[in-house]
Amino acid sequence: MEVRVRYAPSPTGLQHIGGVRTALFNYFFARANGGKFILRVEDTDRERYSDESLQDLYSTLDWLGIKWDEGPVVGGPHGPYIQSERLPLYQEYAKKLVDMGKAYYCYCTPERLENLRKKQEEEKSPQVGYDRHCRNLTEEERAELEKQGIKPVIRLKVPTEGSTTFHDILMGDITRENKDISPDPVLLKSDGFPTYHLANVIDDHLMGITHIMRAQEWIPSGPLHVLMYEAFGWEIPQYCHLPMVMGKETDPVTGEVHFAKLSKRHGSTSVRDFRAKGYLPEALLNYVSLVGWSYDSETEFFTREELEKVFSLEKINTAPGVFDYQKLDWFNGQYMRRRSNEDLAQLLMPYLKDAGILKDEDMDKLLDFVPGIKERITLLSDIVPMCSFVREYQVPSVEMLIPKKMDQAGTLTALKAVYEVVKQCMESGDSDDQMQQKLCDLAVKLGIKNAGVFNPLRIALTGLQVSPPPFSCLRLLGCEESYRRIECAIKVLEA
RNA sequence: GGUUCCAUCGUCUAGGGGUUAGGACGGGAGAUUCUCAGUCUCUAAACAGGGGUUCGAUUCCCCUUGGAACUACCA
């Protein structure tokens, strides 16, 4: 049978690491098994819905290079794939359940439910949740309530005895006493929209989903969903609950370490944030895939294409995993260095433009600059502080310009000589290597260390103690500005 | 509180009845280079505890402990 899996987010916020990890695992599983990856939008919460979230979903998957076989935009044989466009379907099936005596209308007001909850809390009642008040309403009572114009919800009649078991590919059998299952949860809201529980079961069935891969936070509602499949008389799909992605936080006062479901508290969680900070899609995809999954003890670099071949359920971990920002950074640096200079320059330019450091026509300069800084940045955005010297030049002090074990007079002599060499090299169009050689020769001639020629030059050009290599700076600044700055520094040393 | 799930270095993990328990990030040390990075080398660091089963358990079983998730007319 063909594998059919789905990613079914709700557009109520930006796509975050946890969600994307679920999407990735589903997608890879489908690809690795020659199956179909379906995208379904679960927009049944109209209070929290936002169009921005929906657009973010599309742009995030697009950025990561994840294409869905069926879903919004691309369509498919089981559409529509947006739940708000399937309302009649849910209503029909919910009624069917009522007709079968497996669900019932409930007329309880939100206020009554709220009071019930409060009471249960106060009494520390072991039984929490709905009290099944409307479960056994007579026809007359129902008619009376209808007449009052109360819009009812439909609740599932959860058995009060026995237990329900479902099988999880990773976890094995999971059993829950029916009395412990959420007491008669709402299936159809009073606004006619389904809740997650109803919509998800109906759609997964209708769309022929074979494997449900979702985060472990859904385990508690597994038996509930099974009850619904059974009520409808439908085949139960395979379940595979994915380990949660956690965040780590250290209490600033006590120093205690806490773990919890990854959230904004822990740092950036939305893919959009990572993207804006200058993470590369291949780095994020690679790292995220490794939280809760591994291939073997050695391999850690995977392209999307490789994961599409090599991904397997058996290698998924059962324990939750902590999202390690540092390791992501490391991956990003690695992938940064794997990109071509041209690619990188293209990716870097928007940051520099935003910062008002370069313009589009400076692309050649940037291209000259990239090789020198490629291994110095871990995020694309790192380029901005690294280039700020172009715009802001603080004339360096005498102390800054003088390298260790040298004096002012010696430095002055060196810098003057360096200036001559640099000028000559730039004018004759020497390569960095040639310039390097000539300056090293100069150092020998002057009887000083390499640092004695390179450091004053670099600091003269940037006004910074820490900066990119001098040749890169020279090229980024251009001859005119470079000469001006070197002359500035020479004046400082002459004073 | 109730229910369910989980448990190998600080973190991500490999392994699995007999191993010097392997790798990666991060940490520490050193080398290299014009600063900073980067790169290379070396290094410290783990089977939560207690019972079984077994000739032998980190590995299988049970308990304890610890952690997490769920407990909405949210998903």
Side-chain angles (χ1 to χ4, degrees):
Chain A
M1 193 170 62
E2 184 191 52
V3 164
R4 290 175 62 82
V5 294
R6 45 65 167 180
Y7 176 51
S10 67
T12 54
L14 301 178
Q15 285 298 300
H16 55 97
I17 293 300
V20 159
R21 207 274 313 257
T22 302
L24 252 20
F25 280 21
N26 274 284
Y27 171 79
F28 292 141
F29 179 63
R31 284 287 169 279
N33 291 281
K36 292 277 193 292
F37 174 67
I38 291 133
L39 181 65
R40 185 172 73 221
V41 175
E42 308 219 330
D43 58 343
T44 55
D45 183 346
R46 69 209 198 303
E47 307 234 319
R48 293 197 301 153
Y49 174 85
S50 88
D51 194 59
E52 184 195 11
S53 303
L54 187 61
Q55 297 313 316
D56 180 71
L57 167 67
Y58 297 151
S59 69
T60 294
L61 292 181
D62 180 59
W63 184 63
L64 291 169
I66 305 302
K67 293 194 169 55
W68 53 99
D69 302 301
E70 294 174 28
V73 187
V74 303
H78 303 281
Y81 293 88
I82 294 183
Q83 289 186 328
S84 59
E85 296 170 14
R86 299 166 66 81
L87 258 28
L89 218 49
Y90 308 122
Q91 289 162 5
E92 176 195 328
Y93 278 103
K95 285 210 180 69
K96 210 177 268 182
L97 240 27
V98 174
D99 292 342
M100 291 189 288
K102 309 240 163 120
Y104 60 93
Y105 291 101
C106 166
Y107 298 86
C108 292
T109 61
E111 293 75 47
R112 194 184 100 79
L113 264 17
E114 182 57 32
N115 287 337
L116 183 67
R117 195 174 306 125
K118 266 193 202 139
K119 212 172 118 197
Q120 285 170 344
E121 249 171 60
E122 277 165 24
E123 293 172 0
K124 291 196 171 136
S125 156
Q127 188 68 43
V128 294
Y130 185 52
D131 60 359
R132 295 175 158 134
H133 180 260
C134 297
R135 181 155 162 150
N136 296 307
L137 252 33
T138 64
E139 270 313 304
E140 294 73 46
E141 289 169 319
R142 237 171 62 67
E144 173 58 29
L145 289 158
E146 281 294 334
K147 223 163 63 187
Q148 289 175 26
I150 300 175
K151 284 246 180 303
V153 300
I154 292 180
R155 289 183 182 271
L156 182 71
K157 220 178 249 185
V158 174
T160 51
E161 286 176 1
S163 64
T164 303
T165 299
F166 73 96
H167 183 78
D168 184 277
I169 294 175
L170 260 20
M171 239 75 72
D173 285 344
I174 295 172
T175 302
R176 213 168 158 183
E177 296 296 320
N178 289 339
K179 67 174 169 55
D180 294 326
I181 293 176
S182 170
D184 299 1
V186 171
L187 262 26
L188 199 69
K189 307 180 213 176
S190 53
D191 63 1
F193 276 67
T195 60
Y196 168 78
H197 300 300
L198 210 226
N200 136 278
V201 166
I202 291 176
D203 285 348
D204 282 341
H205 173 73
L206 262 24
M207 293 178 182
I209 301 303
T210 57
H211 300 258
I212 295 179
M213 294 164 70
R214 33 130 93 138
Q216 278 174 2
E217 60 184 319
W218 292 106
I219 286 180
S221 48
L224 173 67
H225 298 160
V226 166
L227 242 26
M228 292 171 65
Y229 281 102
E230 285 170 348
F232 282 120
W234 291 339
E235 192 186 338
I236 296 162
Q238 298 273 316
Y239 283 99
C240 180
H241 286 93
L242 275 14
M244 308 263 302
V245 181
M246 312 293 281
K248 180 185 183 180
E249 57 187 308
T250 310
D251 190 310
V253 183
T254 64
E256 280 176 51
V257 177
H258 296 284
F259 299 95
K261 186 156 76 165
L262 186 67
S263 75
K264 289 181 202 76
R265 273 209 312 285
H266 305 112
S268 294
T269 54
S270 74
V271 173
R272 189 153 100 179
D273 281 355
F274 284 106
R275 189 176 171 180
K277 280 186 186 160
Y279 286 88
L280 264 14
E282 63 269 34
L284 192 68
L285 181 140
N286 192 152
Y287 176 63
V288 167
S289 300
L290 257 21
V291 179
W293 180 85
S294 65
Y295 179 70
D296 58 19
S297 59
E298 302 290 304
T299 325
E300 55 188 350
F301 284 100
F302 295 94
T303 62
R304 191 187 66 242
E305 291 80 1
E306 284 164 347
L307 288 165
E308 288 174 12
K309 292 196 181 78
V310 107
F311 185 83
S312 72
L313 260 31
E314 298 77 55
K315 306 294 280 183
I316 298 177
N317 207 168
T318 48
V322 177
F323 188 82
D324 186 345
Y325 288 86
Q326 284 186 311
K327 191 149 188 182
L328 203 219
D329 283 351
W330 177 78
F331 265 111
N332 207 63
Q334 294 293 314
Y335 277 107
M336 207 77 103
R337 269 147 241 145
R338 290 175 180 215
R339 288 275 192 152
S340 69
N341 295 334
E342 291 71 22
D343 269 4
L344 222 42
Q346 289 291 345
L347 293 166
L348 255 17
M349 184 51 102
Y351 291 87
L352 263 8
K353 263 165 67 182
D354 274 3
I357 293 173
L358 288 185
K359 298 191 180 72
D360 278 326
E361 53 268 33
D362 295 323
M363 190 43 113
D364 287 347
K365 279 188 185 175
L366 179 54
L367 215 39
D368 281 341
F369 184 63
V370 164
I373 51 88
K374 200 172 184 176
E375 60 249 3
R376 263 159 249 264
I377 51 178
T378 57
L379 304 180
L380 293 172
S381 58
D382 289 345
I383 195 67
V384 173
M386 196 157 282
C387 292
S388 59
F389 71 89
V390 173
R391 255 194 358 192
E392 299 149 26
Y393 182 59
Q394 269 272 339
V395 181
S397 64
V398 186
E399 294 73 36
M400 270 177 84
L401 286 162
I402 302 173
K404 264 183 242 158
K405 294 182 186 166
M406 279 180 70
D407 58 17
Q408 187 165 344
T411 308
L412 178 60
T413 315
L415 188 55
K416 276 180 166 169
V418 165
Y419 186 26
E420 287 315 309
V421 172
V422 165
K423 250 192 191 160
Q424 188 194 83
C425 288
M426 293 298 274
E427 268 144 40
S428 56
D430 282 357
S431 69
D432 284 2
D433 283 348
Q434 289 168 312
M435 211 182 326
Q436 166 97 23
Q437 192 51 55
K438 286 181 183 170
L439 284 172
C440 286
D441 292 347
L442 175 66
V444 173
K445 213 174 89 189
L446 294 173
I448 57 175
K449 296 197 168 202
N450 286 345
V453 309
F454 290 104
N455 262 330
L457 171 61
R458 195 176 51 73
I459 291 163
L461 289 171
T462 62
L464 263 26
Q465 201 68 258
V466 174
S467 79
F471 300 148
S472 310
C473 298
L474 216 39
R475 308 227 178 260
L476 190 60
L477 250 18
C479 291
E480 202 181 315
E481 178 64 11
S482 295
Y483 298 164
R484 192 184 72 80
R485 291 186 182 189
I486 297 170
E487 283 162 17
C488 254
I490 288 174
K491 275 200 197 98
V492 167
L493 286 166
E494 281 169 344

